[in-house]
Amino acid sequence: MEGLVRSLGACLLAGALALPAVAAPADGAGAPAPGAYLQPPEPLLGVMRAPLNPSPSIDPTGSRALLVRQSPFPSIARVAEPHLRLAGVRITPANHSRHDRSSGYGIRTCLEGFSLFELATGEETAVALPEGACPGFASWSPDGRRFAFDNTTAEGVELWVGDAATGEARRIEDVQLNPVLDYALQWLGGSDRLLVKRVPADLGPAPVKAEVPSGPEITDATDGSGGESSTYEARDTLSSPADEALFEHYATARLATVDVASGQVVPVGGSAAIGRVSAAPDGRHVLMHVLKRPYSYVTAWNRFAHDVVVLDLDSGRTRVLAELPVADRVPVRGVPTGPRSHAWRANQPATLVWTEALDGGDWKNDVPERDRLLTLAAPFTAAPREIARLPQRHAGTVWFADGGRALVYGYDANRNWVTTRLQDLDDPSQPYRVLWDLSANERYADPGSPEVRRLANGAAVLHEEDGALFLSGAGATPQGDRPFLDRFELASGTTTRLFRSAPDAYESFVGFVAGDTSRLLTWHQSPADPPNLHLREYGDVLADAAEGEAAVASSARRLTAFPDPTPLVRGVRKRLVSYTRDDGVELSFTLYTPPGYREGERVPAILYAYPMDYADPSTAGQVSGSEQTFTRLAGYRLLLLAGYAIIDNAAFPIVGDPRNAYDTYLEQLVANAGAAVEKAVELGVVDPDRIGVTGHSHGALMAANLLAHTDLFRAGVASSGGYNKTLTPFGFQNERRSFWDAPGVYDQASTFFHADKVDEPLLIVHGADDANPGTEALQSPRLFQAIRGTGGTTRLVMLPFEPHWYTARESNEHFVAEMLAWFDRYVRDAGPRAGEAAPAKVE
């Protein structure tokens, strides 16, 4: 199938449907060769290739920032490197490295480099790296004196350590990291030691997979146990004993400690297929997940059978805390039974806390309590002790610096609801106190997230000062986001607003300077100013502060001076627009107009959206985003430079009980589109006869369905979508019912079954190596064949080697070139409709 998809994509790329010659070949010379990568014209190409400004990583002491420089796109040569697909990971065998990101949705790319920025003086020091270096993101030591990072070479993945005072970085000898199952490096307590996963020195050569198979590929389900298993678990699964051998080879690692001052490397424990690794605050004990056979052929490695093991670095001894079977029959949206989510308690040297389900791991079971928390301290010889029970699914615990107090989060999947409890987990007899209890989608009343600080050993605890916590959040309002920082008094529950972004900018809290809570680091931007670090210092208390505004005066000073990489884009204008759906649900979008736009002029437009699921209409209509952010153009937004308006991030809520909201999916989808188009036309900006629609992933399904069920749009572009939901029969998005429980829902959501109604031109784009099980690469060729076979106008572009999110420079440039040509032909240059446009309707 993989070969078929790639061959089909190459044929279609070579010209199954002629398009206007608006794009240049990738080498910039002459007419494009058949099947060659295209480039969009200037100025779109120049904006795509503009450098990215650095992003800051603040050290734990709040004294320095590591300025991280990223490249916009790697080359297709990097993306096309030979790799293996094994148990949910993609591995580059040439250097025993990870080819994809941990999320599986993109390719792991190289950073361009680092520099150190002194917050007190503004001095910047470049970190010197060898020519051709491929560094990954850095990890600060708890004391902020050093930072560690990996560097990928042709032979392997190296360990590097940098000195924060001088900017000097050096490679640690005799360490080849094994990043295949993540957790390749971490700092040990407050020491100058790192804990690393190494490729064992005695690993030997990789098994050779026979070119001629010795037998068929067999996946067995003959035990009669039944049970649902979410399709989303099955990504690049194993399929043969040869796959098992290869996976075990590349997953096998041995832990070692590294003294970064002396460079001494001390191996600890034995070699095994090691998954998760987490060091305790004491820097002595290490939690490990050791994978064991038999490996599953239907799920990824993180649900393989494994032992939960604690390793004592001083003695080398291990203790098995739990032996967990393969979790390949977990209910959709459910959790495995037995111990799960082991984590070190942040304010004790070596105490584990974990969760166990009381409802069989199934949200459909009606029980008074869903989860319980248990704990066990070193030396891990006593019986575990239960410390709490929750009526909701446990969603995390954050500890105070001392004592048993913690914030315990619970999530109710049946209501999409989050509860935050303040609880003394050392004394379960003490009643807990609910601090916040609200919808997971609530934005306007969101109290923000508690800030944390690092202890000397590196553990993160709540940042408490004189009985108060600090809460930072997006600050959503009907006029757009205005980020804030509040001081929350634990005893009284009252809040004092310390900082709020001005209405003509977008400024968010980053951290405190050198631990001083009267000096804030912020990340400031505006439509005219690129993001930069600012320093704010508190002044006098304001007695007459308006509701919601800061109650403390502050002065601001810019620390960094990153330039505008694309001055041309400053000619783009944007505004936040609010409106309502026919049923009263409040909606919004951001309207972008092209450079040089004259008020009152009607221009062609593109609508972009991604449908989201909501349990409550009051939260579905809450505005997200801000018109005060610095505008960078990528993807479909680049069409602004070709004269299009963009109806961006239009709200497309699917509202209803999470257990059956998709019963009205199509009806709500059409209502969302109709309301957005009507408002955009009403504003006098958009030409109603020249509107296109685009979306990615679930948004691609939206775009295809709107062409099938409305006449609002002249053409569409759908990228990396899943158009036949029966191929994910145990649920999609927040739909939890199986195809056999709700076949009508799967039918109405699937464009494939309504391909004969797609009567406007649809450009279909897909990454040929898409690892997302809900949008496998075969989905797009099938929809193309269905539309073509029923007489529709369509074009299929399969981007070689690309995952769910396109990574290579050549692929992204080609995608934009194809999109521009498609919309120019079928939207911008479209003639008047034959008669009045039909209203949006469900067919």
Side-chain angles (χ1 to χ4, degrees):
M1 179 58 70
E2 176 183 334
L4 172 63
V5 168
R6 288 187 179 173
S7 298
L8 180 57
C11 292
L12 289 160
L13 195 60
L17 177 63
L19 286 176
V22 298
D27 60 9
Y37 285 105
L38 304 178
Q39 294 172 349
E42 293 292 356
L44 285 74
L45 183 62
V47 170
M48 288 190 77
R49 293 187 172 184
L52 300 176
N53 278 339
S55 57
S57 170
I58 310 301
D59 86 304
T61 70
S63 303
R64 296 185 180 94
L66 192 66
L67 302 181
V68 181
R69 289 173 168 82
Q70 301 184 59
S71 172
F73 307 108
S75 70
I76 188 64
R78 164 71 181 98
V79 175
E81 288 177 353
H83 57 274
L84 304 172
R85 307 177 187 187
L86 300 168
V89 294
R90 295 185 173 185
I91 302 163
T92 303
N95 57 8
H96 208 119
S97 71
R98 185 74 179 257
H99 184 73
D100 61 345
R101 297 191 185 121
S102 297
S103 64
Y105 291 113
I107 303 299
R108 185 189 181 280
T109 57
C110 307
L111 299 179
E112 288 191 344
F114 312 106
S115 61
L116 287 158
F117 183 84
E118 295 289 337
L119 299 177
T121 65
E123 181 182 357
E124 185 173 349
T125 304
V127 176
L129 296 174
E131 185 74 22
C134 179
F137 287 96
S139 172
W140 282 106
S141 64
D143 60 10
R145 294 190 301 118
R146 295 183 173 90
F147 54 95
F149 58 94
D150 61 69
N151 179 51
T152 303
T153 71
E155 293 76 32
V157 182
E158 302 170 340
L159 172 65
W160 282 65
V161 175
D163 187 301
T166 65
E168 294 180 359
R170 62 187 177 90
R171 180 171 67 89
I172 301 296
E173 301 289 340
D174 300 322
V175 175
Q176 181 183 354
L177 297 175
N178 187 345
V180 168
L181 299 187
D182 301 321
Y183 310 100
L185 65 90
Q186 57 193 283
W187 292 94
L188 276 174
S191 69
D192 287 336
R193 292 191 304 162
L194 285 163
L195 178 68
V196 300
K197 272 188 188 180
R198 298 170 72 198
V199 174
D202 58 354
L203 183 63
V208 178
K209 192 171 184 177
E211 294 186 8
V212 178
S214 60
E217 295 181 355
I218 299 173
T219 303
D220 198 0
T222 57
D223 59 4
S225 59
E228 298 177 352
S229 181
S230 172
T231 311
Y232 286 86
E233 300 165 14
R235 177 168 61 87
D236 292 343
T237 54
L238 303 178
S239 61
S240 67
D243 280 355
E244 293 184 52
L246 283 167
F247 170 76
E248 189 163 278
H249 173 84
Y250 288 105
T252 296
R254 188 178 184 189
L255 299 184
T257 61
V258 178
D259 186 308
V260 297
S262 66
Q264 182 184 19
V265 180
V266 179
V268 290
S271 298
I274 303 174
R276 183 185 171 203
V277 176
S278 175
D282 67 358
R284 171 181 170 180
H285 294 89
V286 176
L287 178 73
M288 301 189 301
H289 288 183
V290 180
L291 308 187
K292 58 185 182 181
R293 292 174 178 265
Y295 299 139
S296 172
Y297 283 19
V298 298
T299 192
W301 72 269
N302 56 340
R303 289 203 168 181
F304 280 5
H306 63 276
D307 290 341
V308 180
V309 177
V310 173
L311 167 68
D312 186 328
L313 295 177
D314 287 354
S315 67
R317 291 193 294 269
T318 60
R319 180 173 294 276
V320 177
L321 300 184
E323 299 180 10
L324 301 179
V326 62
D328 59 359
R329 297 184 185 274
V330 177
V332 176
R333 311 292 180 190
V335 296
T337 56
R340 73 176 197 275
S341 303
H342 292 76
W344 294 109
R345 177 168 166 170
N347 62 8
Q348 289 192 354
T351 297
L352 283 168
V353 178
W354 65 89
T355 311
E356 292 183 2
L358 300 172
D359 62 352
D362 193 341
W363 59 271
K364 294 189 293 293
N365 292 332
D366 188 10
V367 295
E369 295 163 329
R370 291 205 177 272
D371 275 346
R372 67 172 183 162
L373 303 182
L374 297 100
T375 189
L376 183 63
F380 312 105
T381 54
R385 178 170 58 90
E386 182 178 307
I387 55 176
R389 292 193 172 213
L390 283 74
Q392 302 165 313
R393 187 72 69 214
H394 179 230
T397 299
V398 188
W399 296 87
F400 285 77
D402 48 43
R405 292 179 308 153
L407 298 186
V408 181
Y409 295 88
Y411 175 68
D412 184 346
N414 291 320
R415 294 194 302 151
N416 199 27
W417 204 263
V418 177
T419 302
T420 307
R421 312 192 325 188
L422 174 61
Q423 190 164 359
D424 188 337
L425 295 176
D426 281 348
D427 187 357
S429 66
Q430 292 294 319
Y432 62 81
R433 177 176 148 213
V434 174
L435 297 185
W436 302 292
D437 189 45
L438 67 168
S439 167
N441 299 125
E442 176 61 52
R443 293 181 56 81
Y444 294 168
D446 181 5
S449 300
E451 291 296 318
V452 298
R453 65 181 179 89
R454 295 283 174 180
L455 298 176
N457 57 23
V461 296
L462 290 162
H463 193 142
E464 183 185 14
E465 182 182 77
D466 298 330
L469 299 178
F470 296 93
L471 308 176
S472 65
T477 76
Q479 293 75 43
D481 292 353
R482 293 182 60 189
F484 67 87
L485 176 70
D486 283 352
R487 181 184 175 94
F488 176 76
E489 302 293 337
L490 287 163
S492 65
T494 59
T495 60
T496 302
R497 181 134 297 173
L498 303 177
F499 161 75
R500 190 186 192 193
S501 178
D504 60 351
Y506 186 87
E507 187 175 3
S508 54
F509 174 73
V510 173
F512 296 112
V513 178
D516 184 350
T517 57
S518 69
R519 305 174 72 215
L520 314 182
L521 273 178
T522 63
W523 190 239
H524 178 282
Q525 59 187 295
S526 74
D529 302 314
N532 273 285
L533 279 175
H534 281 219
L535 170 65
R536 282 193 170 271
E537 298 186 82
Y538 293 150
D540 297 332
V541 174
L542 300 174
D544 57 349
E547 184 178 356
E549 298 296 335
V552 181
S554 64
S555 59
R557 175 169 60 90
R558 190 175 73 173
L559 298 180
T560 57
F562 303 137
D564 182 349
T566 54
L568 171 68
V569 176
R570 284 336 105 214
V572 170
R573 296 290 179 263
K574 60 184 172 183
R575 51 178 148 161
L576 190 63
V577 178
S578 299
Y579 52 101
T580 58
R581 206 165 70 176
D582 286 344
D583 59 1
V585 174
E586 296 179 348
L587 306 173
S588 64
F589 59 69
T590 299
L591 181 64
Y592 289 80
T593 51
Y597 173 77
R598 297 185 300 274
E599 201 65 36
E601 178 186 8
R602 290 196 180 272
V603 295
I606 307 300
L607 181 146
Y608 171 88
Y610 187 95
M612 300 290 288
D613 303 333
Y614 295 87
D616 182 354
S618 68
T619 58
Q622 292 181 354
V623 172
S624 64
S626 170
E627 61 186 13
Q628 302 302 331
T629 54
F630 184 72
T631 302
R632 261 197 80 90
L633 302 185
Y636 61 91
R637 288 190 187 132
L638 286 158
L639 272 62
L640 283 157
L641 303 180
Y644 290 83
I646 303 294
I647 307 166
D648 199 27
N649 285 321
F652 264 61
I654 307 300
V655 185
D657 188 315
R659 290 167 288 195
N660 54 30
Y662 271 78
D663 288 352
T664 57
Y665 161 77
L666 198 54
E667 174 186 333
Q668 295 193 61
L669 198 74
V670 171
N672 292 328
V677 168
E678 181 180 2
K679 186 63 177 181
V681 171
E682 176 191 308
L683 294 171
V685 174
V686 171
D687 182 345
D689 284 333
R690 295 188 296 164
I691 307 176
V693 62
T694 188
H696 185 82
S697 194
H698 194 46
L701 175 66
M702 170 208 72
N705 274 331
L706 289 174
L707 295 190
H709 299 288
T710 81
D711 291 312
L712 292 167
F713 305 100
R714 301 303 297 270
V717 176
S719 56
S720 296
Y723 311 103
N724 182 350
K725 291 304 177 186
T726 67
L727 298 180
T728 55
F730 290 107
F732 58 92
Q733 297 305 109
N734 282 336
E735 174 55 60
R736 308 165 189 179
R737 295 168 294 181
S738 74
F739 165 74
W740 297 275
D741 293 329
V745 169
Y746 284 73
D747 173 89
Q748 70 155 331
S750 299
T751 314
F752 180 82
F753 296 124
H754 305 276
D756 58 324
K757 299 175 184 176
V758 179
D759 51 7
E760 291 88 12
L762 179 61
L763 171 64
I764 307 170
V765 182
H766 215 117
D769 280 358
D770 194 340
N772 181 10
T775 59
E776 290 179 299
L778 61 85
Q779 291 263 5
S780 285
R782 294 293 179 262
L783 180 63
F784 169 82
Q785 292 162 359
I787 296 174
R788 176 181 177 274
T790 54
T793 300
T794 187
R795 176 179 174 90
L796 174 64
V797 177
M798 301 297 292
L799 297 171
F801 304 106
E802 288 292 352
H804 190 63
W805 291 101
Y806 314 145
T807 305
R809 174 179 58 82
E810 294 87 344
S811 300
N812 282 278
E813 291 174 357
H814 187 97
F815 180 29
V816 172
E818 290 271 3
M819 182 186 297
L820 176 62
W822 192 260
F823 281 138
D824 278 355
R825 178 174 184 177
Y826 292 112
V827 175
R828 186 196 66 182
D829 299 337
R833 295 179 186 268
E836 186 176 352
K841 61 183 183 298
V842 178
E843 299 180 0

